[in-house]
Amino acid sequence: VTASAPAVSVGPHRPQSRAALIASVVCLDGRYAGRFCDVFDRYRGMETSEEKSWVCFYLARLLGRLGGDESFRSLSAALTDDKKEAEYGFEDPPNVFVYKARTPFYRAAAAYSLGCIGDPGAVDVLMEVVTDFDNAVSVRNAAAESLVRLGAHAPSGRLREIAQSY
């Protein structure tokens, strides 16, 4: 769990990030969703760091697979309560990164995972994310993909309007 081959741009994961990665791959039992929600919420409350971003990213993906009301609440809260990427400020151009926010953007994983859960209650949150330009492009894109997954529950007329003016 503590060993991680370095990615070219990231370097090796810290033990906590690596543990979240492994859990996101091997945990298939929804009975553990509450425990992982607790960890996800605890890390969301921490100061911004590379470790926080990676742990939350992997756990958001895991919660989308595990589903359930607790996962839905934690993922929704990440989108409604946590700082949006633009709130961290912007890098001076030219720079390959737009935002000073830490990557990966775990809120994108949260938006994507809400679509995986399939709860129609996510539509309002996802619509807010899609239309708020303080969210990173990847977060808005993941929210849009989730709205596609929610199909019949998404307001197609409003989505058409957004697409025309985007």
Side-chain angles (χ1 to χ4, degrees), residues 69-131:
D69 292 341
E70 289 174 297
S71 296
F72 177 84
R73 281 191 298 274
S74 288
L75 294 167
S76 295
L79 295 172
T80 59
D81 301 343
D82 294 5
K83 286 176 81 170
K84 298 169 189 165
E85 292 72 29
E87 293 177 45
Y88 290 96
F90 299 92
E91 296 290 353
D92 293 327
N95 195 315
V96 296
F97 299 104
V98 175
Y99 304 101
K100 290 185 178 185
R102 287 275 187 179
T103 56
F105 298 145
Y106 70 87
R107 294 176 67 253
Y112 178 85
S113 291
L114 281 176
C116 294
I117 291 173
D119 187 325
V123 168
D124 290 340
V125 170
L126 295 170
M127 288 296 293
E128 181 64 32
V129 169
V130 165
T131 57

Side-chain angles (χ1 to χ4, degrees), residues 40-69:
F40 179 67
D41 293 339
R42 182 167 43 91
Y43 269 85
R44 284 181 39 234
M46 293 179 175
E47 290 294 319
T48 302
S49 68
E50 182 177 336
E51 181 179 305
K52 171 188 173 176
S53 293
W54 281 108
V55 168
C56 287
F57 175 81
Y58 289 129
L59 292 183
R61 292 180 5 173
L62 171 61
L63 294 176
R65 278 203 325 277
L66 296 180
D69 292 341

